[in-house]
Amino acid sequence: MILFNPGPVNVSERVRQALLQPDVCHRESEFSELLSDIRQKLLKVFVPGNEDEYTAIVLTGSGTAAVEAALMSSIPTGKRAMVINNGVYGQRMSSMLATHRLQTPDLKYDWGVAPDPQAVDLALKQHPEVHTVAMVHHETTLGLINPVKEIAEIVDRYGRVFMVDSVSGLGGEALDIAGSKLYMVAGAAQKCIQGFPGAAFVLVRKGFMERVMKYPKRSWYLNLANYYEEQERGTIPFTPAVQVYYAFREALNELLEEGLENRIQRFQGYATTIRTRLDEWGVKAVLDPAIQGNTLTAFYLPEGCTYQRLHDELKQAGYVIYAGQGQLEQKIFRVANIGALTNQDIEGFLSAFQSIVSGARA
């Protein structure tokens, strides 16, 4: 099955074979070496030339686990966080904060609307209690890329902490972490990095991590201070998904060999092909091209074709697409173009799509 959903993704045979490493106890030196290698490779890929300024903290869980660990570990006593919310995953961060009553009102925008930097500036003036500003990099709800650099400059000017959910971005969308002075960036293995679900991570500025060590522990499993303290000693506080970590390392090896820029360009090329072809067939994208990412496109459903029919017939042909969410569930579908895909996979999908839609319109 060829997956055109935004994670988990198709992986290479090489990454799949890495799951077959011998069984290892996570308290032995072999696992310490594996963990250290993963942490170093994450820094090498995503903060090249600035590895001394950041630390990579690895945990077992979904991307949401990394996001929640970063967000809830970033707030000192007496302070709050503000979410720039323009999609399902921004709303998810807002819900996390609400469980601890640590939120201020969201800077909320309609789906598909990019945030206004001036509004962020004004909100930070009005809310001195806000310590952490959180935003999604690639909002998978519609495939929108948020203006991380512009918002980061404002947050930095006010001396606040900027936390970015880039679970769906890292490895497929450009993100200058060190240059933008991002404090915390959450990611995961199973999307643009082309690994398996179960391994997630947070990249943190080292100076800020030292401050986090003194902040309240609002969770035990999802507290970054617990992980950092242990991982700096070469171990891990809780039982990890060892075999998934081996595959994660192999996926990072592949990414380093391909080159981050080359992978971004590969995904961009796939997206351009899909968008161009569907536009020629009268299937319109939801977002303006100026704010679309490289890795996912939301399209309006073709006339006469329900999502269920489109999904089921494509799946029968060997391709899996993704539904819309919320109020758009019956109006749109989403096509991701990440993972170990080839041009042949893209062309096969497009051929199947054209056949199904032509039949629905007949």
Side-chain angles (χ1 to χ4, degrees):
M1 196 68 66
I2 307 299
L3 303 180
F4 284 87
N5 55 272
V9 299
N10 291 110
V11 303
S12 71
E13 187 59 28
R14 176 176 156 186
V15 169
R16 187 173 289 106
Q17 287 298 316
L19 292 172
L20 303 179
Q21 291 289 329
D23 297 334
V24 171
C25 174
H26 66 291
R27 297 303 178 200
E28 296 297 320
S29 60
E30 291 91 340
F31 181 77
S32 295
E33 291 166 6
L34 171 63
L35 179 62
S36 176
D37 201 21
I38 290 171
R39 296 179 73 202
Q40 289 172 18
K41 284 180 164 66
L42 284 168
L43 298 176
K44 187 175 181 180
V45 171
F46 296 117
V47 286
N50 298 277
E51 291 95 330
D52 292 342
E53 297 176 26
Y54 283 81
T55 186
I57 300 174
V58 184
L59 62 156
T60 296
S62 67
T64 300
V67 171
E68 187 161 0
L71 189 56
M72 303 315 302
S73 299
S74 73
I75 309 169
T77 302
K79 294 292 185 178
R80 293 178 179 270
M82 178 180 73
V83 176
I84 300 170
N85 176 356
N86 58 352
V88 168
Y89 297 93
Q91 181 58 49
R92 184 174 293 183
M93 288 197 287
S94 185
S95 298
M96 292 170 186
L97 291 168
T99 63
H100 293 271
R101 299 180 181 177
L102 288 169
Q103 80 277 30
T104 55
D106 290 355
L107 267 183
K108 196 162 187 176
Y109 297 86
D110 290 339
W111 293 1
V113 176
D116 177 8
Q118 290 185 338
V120 178
D121 190 296
L122 180 60
L124 292 179
K125 284 179 184 173
Q126 294 175 337
H127 292 280
E129 75 279 13
V130 169
H131 179 262
T132 302
V133 178
M135 187 174 77
V136 176
H137 174 207
H138 173 229
E139 182 50 86
T140 319
T141 308
L142 292 176
L144 181 146
I145 295 295
N146 275 317
V148 172
K149 185 176 184 295
E150 292 86 341
I151 303 299
E153 289 173 357
I154 294 167
V155 175
D156 188 62
R157 191 186 314 144
Y158 282 91
R160 314 294 173 87
V161 169
F162 195 24
M163 179 259 152
V164 175
D165 167 0
S166 192
V167 170
S168 292
L170 286 175
E173 309 286 351
L175 185 64
D176 184 1
I177 294 173
S180 300
K181 299 179 182 177
L182 303 184
Y183 278 73
M184 311 177 92
V185 178
Q190 78 277 9
K191 293 183 183 280
C192 300
I193 297 175
Q194 297 179 185
F196 285 103
F201 59 92
V202 185
L203 306 176
V204 191
R205 285 171 69 174
K206 280 186 176 177
F208 180 59
M209 193 63 231
E210 295 302 322
R211 288 159 54 188
V212 169
M213 299 295 288
K214 302 170 186 175
Y215 290 173
K217 294 186 177 182
R218 299 181 179 88
S219 167
W220 195 247
Y221 186 81
L222 295 179
N223 181 261
L224 290 185
N226 289 339
Y227 285 89
Y228 181 66
E229 196 169 35
E230 294 279 346
Q231 291 185 14
E232 286 296 285
R233 294 199 296 259
T235 185
I236 200 162
F238 313 105
T239 306
V242 177
Q243 282 72 19
V244 171
Y245 280 39
Y246 275 113
F248 185 21
R249 180 172 67 177
E250 199 57 38
L252 287 168
N253 287 337
E254 284 189 338
L255 179 51
L256 283 164
E257 290 165 17
E258 182 176 4
L260 180 58
E261 289 303 317
N262 290 333
R263 178 161 298 182
I264 290 171
Q265 288 176 17
R266 176 163 64 86
F267 290 158
Q268 188 177 53
Y270 293 160
T272 299
T273 298
I274 292 167
R275 291 166 187 169
T276 300
R277 205 75 60 83
L278 265 64
D279 183 66
E280 289 171 355
W281 298 333
V283 182
K284 300 301 181 185
V286 175
L287 294 184
D288 185 281
I291 55 176
Q292 284 180 334
N294 301 318
T295 58
L296 179 141
T297 314
F299 294 98
Y300 290 108
L301 283 163
E303 187 179 346
C305 201
T306 64
Y307 173 76
Q308 202 59 54
R309 175 178 177 178
L310 183 61
H311 169 273
D312 292 353
E313 292 192 22
L314 278 169
K315 187 174 181 180
Q316 197 169 28
Y319 304 96
V320 174
I321 58 170
Y322 218 48
Q325 293 169 291
Q327 68 271 21
L328 294 178
E329 188 176 359
Q330 302 302 318
K331 298 179 180 179
I332 71 169
F333 66 100
R334 291 178 289 172
V335 179
N337 49 266
I338 56 178
L341 301 176
T342 65
N343 288 319
Q344 185 177 354
D345 295 327
I346 303 298
E347 291 299 330
F349 163 73
L350 290 169
S351 177
F353 183 92
Q354 184 183 32
S355 176
I356 290 164
V357 172
S358 296
R361 288 171 172 169

